[in-house]
Amino acid sequence: MSGPIANTFMIGAQKSGTTYLASLLAQHADICVSDPKEPQFFGKEFDRGFEFYSRCFARPDAKIRLDASTTYTFLRPRHLLDEDGAPGYTENIPQRIKDHSPNAKFIYIMRDPVKRMMSMIRHGARNDERSRGGTVTLQAAVERNPMALLISKYADQIERYLEVWDKSDFLFLRFEDLKDNPQEVTSQVLDFLELSPLTLSLDAAKEDQHGAYRYTTAGRVLNQLGGAKSLARKALPAPLHRWIKSSIATAPSDLTFTEIDVVAPLLDDDRQRVFELTGLRI
C-alpha cells in the first residue's frame, strides 16, 4: 500500500441518509471523509490499486478516515452465491476490507426497507420524464431492478459481514432517528469512534440532505455537462448553489407506486432477522 487508507466505513444503506451523516461527521477535526465520498474501492474499483485509494484522503494523518461507499452492501446473499444471474456482488468485500484494514469500524444506517426501495427507484428515474407525475407498480419496478429488493434486505448483508467481523465492530443506526435528531445520532457515532463531542452546524449540511427529486429540463442539461456540475458546486457560494439546485435544476419527485402491499411482505422475514441481529426495529 502506498499510503494510509480508510479505517472506518459507512457501508449502507443507499438512500438512508449516508451523505447527510457523512457531511455532519466531516465537521469534526479528527475525521477525514474520502473524496469522492463513495470511492467504491473494495468493490468495483479494487483493480485501480492502493495508490489511487490513498489519494482519496486529503488528510492521511486524520484519526478517522471515512469511506462511505454504500455499494459495499450490494452483496449477493450467501445462499445465492452459486446461482447464475442472481443480483449482487460476488466478491468477498468484507474479507477484502479485513485483509487491508483489520481494525476497521463500521456504521450501517437502515431505513424502513420499503420506503428505501421506493426512494432508490425514484432516484434511478430522476432523468426520466415519467418521474413527473408518473405511477408505476412497485412489483414491476422491482422485477426490472432486483437490486432494489436486495439492498433492502439488510440482514442478508449484515450476515455476510458478521462472517468476518465481530458485531462489536458495528454501529447500527436508523435513518428515521437521524432525520429527527441529527445531533443525537452524530454524538452516538462520535462516541462509537471514541472522538470528542461536537456541536453541529446543521445549516452547513443542508445541501447533503438528498430527498427524492427529479431533474428539470434545465437540470438534465446541466447534468450532461459532467464535471461542470462538480466545479459549480465548489466554485459557487453554498447558498447560491443550493438555490440553483432546488429552484432551477431539480424538483420533488412525483413518481408514485401501486401494489406496495404485494412487495412489502417479501421483507417481513428480513425485518425480523435485522431485529435479532441488531436490536433495531425497522
Side-chain angles (χ1 to χ4, degrees):
M1 292 185 285
S2 61
I5 62 171
N7 56 15
T8 304
F9 297 84
M10 191 183 299
I11 58 174
Q14 186 189 53
K15 305 308 294 176
S16 298
T18 57
T19 300
Y20 181 48
L21 181 56
S23 69
L24 296 174
L25 293 173
Q27 295 180 29
H28 198 288
D30 288 330
I31 297 178
C32 172
V33 179
S34 63
D35 184 11
K37 166 194 162 272
E38 301 201 39
Q40 304 186 55
F41 175 71
F42 286 99
K44 69 178 185 178
E45 302 293 349
F46 195 65
D47 289 342
R48 298 185 68 174
F50 284 91
E51 184 176 351
F52 153 76
Y53 190 43
S54 63
R55 290 199 302 267
C56 294
F57 298 94
R59 293 189 291 118
D61 58 342
K63 183 176 180 180
I64 299 297
R65 297 177 298 279
L66 177 67
D67 175 344
S69 296
T70 58
T71 54
Y72 297 162
T73 46
F74 288 14
L75 306 179
R76 186 177 296 182
R78 172 64 60 189
H79 65 279
L80 294 176
L81 277 177
D82 296 326
E83 183 174 315
D84 290 340
Y89 292 164
T90 58
E91 295 86 353
N92 192 339
I93 293 175
Q95 186 62 56
R96 275 185 179 174
I97 297 174
K98 184 78 169 181
D99 290 342
H100 299 285
S101 189
N103 298 313
K105 291 188 175 184
F106 297 86
I107 302 161
Y108 195 163
I109 316 175
M110 293 172 284
R111 180 180 186 177
D112 177 282
V114 177
K115 292 180 180 178
R116 192 220 67 82
M117 188 186 309
M118 292 190 292
S119 182
M120 175 183 172
I121 293 167
R122 289 190 181 103
H123 181 77
R126 63 195 182 279
N127 272 316
D128 194 328
E129 279 292 336
R130 289 177 299 174
S131 64
R132 186 196 300 268
T135 300
V136 298
T137 68
L138 185 57
Q139 184 177 22
V142 169
E143 288 173 355
R144 286 194 297 270
N145 182 7
M147 288 294 291
L149 180 61
L150 179 141
I151 297 166
S152 280
K153 289 191 171 184
Y154 310 130
D156 281 344
Q157 303 296 321
I158 293 168
E159 287 172 348
R160 290 291 310 277
Y161 273 86
L162 294 184
E163 293 172 355
V164 178
W165 297 88
D166 291 333
K167 187 176 176 180
S168 61
D169 297 320
F170 285 79
L171 177 64
F172 298 105
L173 302 170
R174 297 187 335 134
F175 164 82
E176 292 77 10
D177 296 332
L178 174 63
K179 182 179 179 182
D180 292 342
N181 198 332
Q183 177 68 66
E184 181 177 317
V185 170
T186 304
S187 296
Q188 188 179 354
V189 176
L190 295 177
D191 185 59
F192 172 68
L193 298 177
E194 300 179 351
L195 296 179
S196 60
L198 173 70
T199 300
L200 297 171
S201 172
L202 297 179
D203 286 343
K206 276 186 176 179
E207 189 175 358
D208 294 303
Q209 290 178 300
H210 289 172
Y213 62 85
R214 61 178 172 83
Y215 286 120
T216 62
T217 301
R220 285 194 292 273
V221 171
L222 290 171
N223 200 45
Q224 290 172 355
L225 297 178
K229 187 172 68 170
S230 177
L231 290 173
R233 176 171 180 166
K234 294 177 181 178
L236 296 174
L240 177 58
H241 185 270
R242 283 197 295 269
W243 180 83
I244 291 173
K245 181 178 178 180
S246 62
S247 302
I248 297 177
T250 66
S253 173
D254 294 326
L255 189 66
T256 58
F257 298 91
T258 60
E259 298 187 8
I260 297 172
D261 57 339
V262 175
V263 175
L266 301 177
L267 292 155
D268 287 347
D269 176 67
D270 197 80
R271 286 181 190 264
Q272 179 59 30
R273 286 162 54 218
V274 167
F275 175 68
E276 293 168 358
L277 287 166
T278 71
L280 295 181
R281 294 284 187 191
I282 54 168

